[in-house]
Amino acid sequence: MRRIALTVGSALLATSLAPAAHASTGAFTAASTAAPGTVVSVSPLPAPLWLPGTGSAHRVTYVSTDSSGKRALSSGAMFTPKGKAPRGGWPVVSWTHGTVGIGDSCAPSTAGRSERDITYLTTWMARGYAIVSSDYIGLGTPGVHPYLDGRTAAHSAADMVRAARHVDKSLARKWVAIGQSQGGHAALFTAATAPKYAPDLDFRGAVATGPPSNLESIVSLAGPYIPNIPLPDLTAYTAYILAGLRAARPGLNLDRYLTPLGKQVVKDAENLCYDPMVKRTEGIGIGQLLNRSLFDATFFTNLRGIMEVPLTGYTRPFYIGQGMVDTTVPIPLTLKLVAALKARSVNFTFKAYPGADHSGTMAASLPDTTKFVAALFAH
């Protein structure tokens, strides 16, 4: 059993937590009735983890909600700019990060961030936004992180804003979600769910760059005889998807689809961060993980239930940026999503960036997305 101290409201509770194997059962007993966004603990963020231009920074553990509706713990970091807040408070960017892995040691609030992300977030802070960034449920908190469980990530993003505003009263109610890759997927789910999930906040819209979509159909076609697909690091991503699915849907007997090698690789995925996981899966094809086809109604229904990007429910504008030479999230998948959204008359902006790969889309889109977000906050 693990013991942690939870500060819920003004009470300090000592709580025993079973070392839950799945984030969907990671709700904790003593605070299971606490409101989403309740601050559990807060501490100063070590200076080496600050973004340039930060005035104050904290690491926060807080209450959120998983996709099954149960309370769970999440953590994250918050960065307030230097200087005096504008009238009404600092507008908030809730940054939803890309794939770092699903082990506790991968959580950005403790492991730090890539230079790419630091540069990108510094640009937003320099424009007068407070930055809050959830690690997501299960990354650095009890349970396994349910990778690409869109609703869980969206809840983590919204509740991070709630928690940050409890810690620092200079943060405004108005906020946007901005994310890349896995975080782009989370930003789209946030755009579809935040107004109803967090009506106490003033959600203005979202930006998603390189967001994976339509992957549930591709993954479900996999089987033991699948040929190697020339997409970088695909086996590592697939292992994360399978581990995340098991975390989000513990009732699914995932092992029945896996070879002995597959069981070990998926188990390793629960602990290894991205770069070590890529090395772990070098020379291993997806087919070697599987002992049967994933084109199975039970498997597909569960996978679709957590990963499929919503096509309806959007009441705020959002922006999708896509690199035209992205080999991690190939543009045909995004174009399929864009066509489906347009067919439903959803209010969004899409732009493809020639010459931009998966990571490069972030910087390539900044001239457009900074204007887009400024307009969202203009009223």
Side-chain angles (χ1 to χ4, degrees):
M1 303 288 283
R2 280 171 79 181
R3 295 189 66 82
I4 62 172
L6 301 180
T7 306
V8 182
S10 61
L12 184 67
L13 302 175
T15 303
S16 292
L17 285 179
H22 307 292
S24 60
T25 59
F28 46 96
T29 304
S32 62
T33 58
T38 297
V39 175
V40 168
S41 66
V42 59
S43 59
L45 193 71
L49 299 180
W50 286 29
L51 298 173
T54 297
S56 65
H58 297 86
R59 185 177 191 273
V60 183
T61 303
Y62 60 96
V63 180
S64 192
T65 312
D66 68 20
S67 60
S68 66
K70 295 179 181 178
R71 297 289 188 265
L73 285 176
S74 189
S75 59
M78 52 181 290
F79 307 87
T80 304
K82 293 179 180 177
K84 184 179 179 181
R87 184 177 180 180
W90 298 107
V92 178
V93 165
S94 186
W95 166 247
T96 49
H97 66 77
T99 302
V100 295
I102 64 178
D104 285 346
S105 64
C106 313
S109 71
T110 54
R113 302 172 196 278
S114 67
E115 286 300 317
R116 179 201 71 177
D117 288 4
I118 291 171
T119 300
Y120 184 78
L121 294 176
T122 298
T123 300
W124 289 100
M125 178 171 282
R127 291 177 174 269
Y129 302 109
I131 308 293
V132 306
S133 178
S134 177
D135 295 324
Y136 308 136
I137 287 172
L139 262 174
T141 49
V144 175
H145 167 54
Y147 181 71
L148 288 182
D149 180 348
R151 286 170 184 80
T152 294
H155 296 164
S156 295
D159 291 328
M160 183 70 214
V161 179
R162 285 167 159 160
R165 295 188 71 245
H166 288 310
V167 173
D168 189 335
K169 302 302 182 184
S170 73
L171 271 58
R173 287 179 60 247
K174 55 188 180 181
W175 68 290
V176 296
I178 300 179
Q180 156 70 8
S181 193
Q182 177 192 2
H185 183 263
L188 292 177
F189 273 84
T190 303
T193 62
K196 288 186 178 180
Y197 178 74
D200 50 304
L201 300 174
D202 182 4
F203 178 68
R204 297 299 181 91
V207 171
T209 55
S213 63
N214 296 296
L215 291 182
E216 61 280 355
S217 297
I218 292 177
V219 171
S220 294
L221 292 174
Y225 307 110
I226 186 172
N228 287 328
I229 300 174
L231 295 179
D233 311 331
L234 186 59
T235 303
Y237 283 118
T238 301
Y240 283 145
I241 288 171
L242 294 174
L245 175 61
R246 180 158 59 190
R249 297 291 184 268
L252 175 68
N253 181 8
L254 184 67
D255 281 355
R256 68 187 287 260
Y257 299 94
L258 301 176
T259 62
L261 174 62
K263 292 175 185 178
Q264 187 59 55
V265 169
V266 172
K267 181 179 179 181
D268 291 343
E270 294 180 359
N271 297 297
L272 293 177
C273 297
Y274 180 71
D275 287 341
M277 190 62 199
V278 170
K279 291 181 180 178
R280 170 69 177 91
T281 54
E282 280 183 4
I284 300 175
I286 296 174
Q288 293 173 258
L289 306 182
L290 306 171
N291 64 19
R292 67 179 67 199
S293 172
L294 299 181
F295 194 61
D296 170 290
T298 299
F299 182 90
F300 182 69
T301 298
N302 280 276
L303 189 66
R304 183 181 183 186
I306 68 166
M307 285 181 59
E308 185 177 39
V309 174
L311 298 179
T312 60
Y314 298 97
T315 59
R316 304 292 189 276
F318 60 95
Y319 189 105
I320 298 176
Q322 171 70 39
M324 292 185 69
V325 295
D326 186 339
T327 57
T328 302
V329 178
I331 192 169
L333 298 179
T334 304
L335 292 176
K336 184 175 186 294
L337 171 66
V338 167
L341 292 169
K342 286 184 175 180
R344 291 161 177 80
S345 301
V346 176
N347 177 22
F348 74 106
T349 300
F350 169 71
K351 186 171 181 179
Y353 293 88
D357 62 9
H358 191 57
S359 289
T361 307
M362 295 169 65
S365 64
L366 267 173
D368 299 314
T369 56
T370 50
K371 292 177 183 177
F372 180 82
V373 170
L376 296 179
F377 283 125
H379 57 85

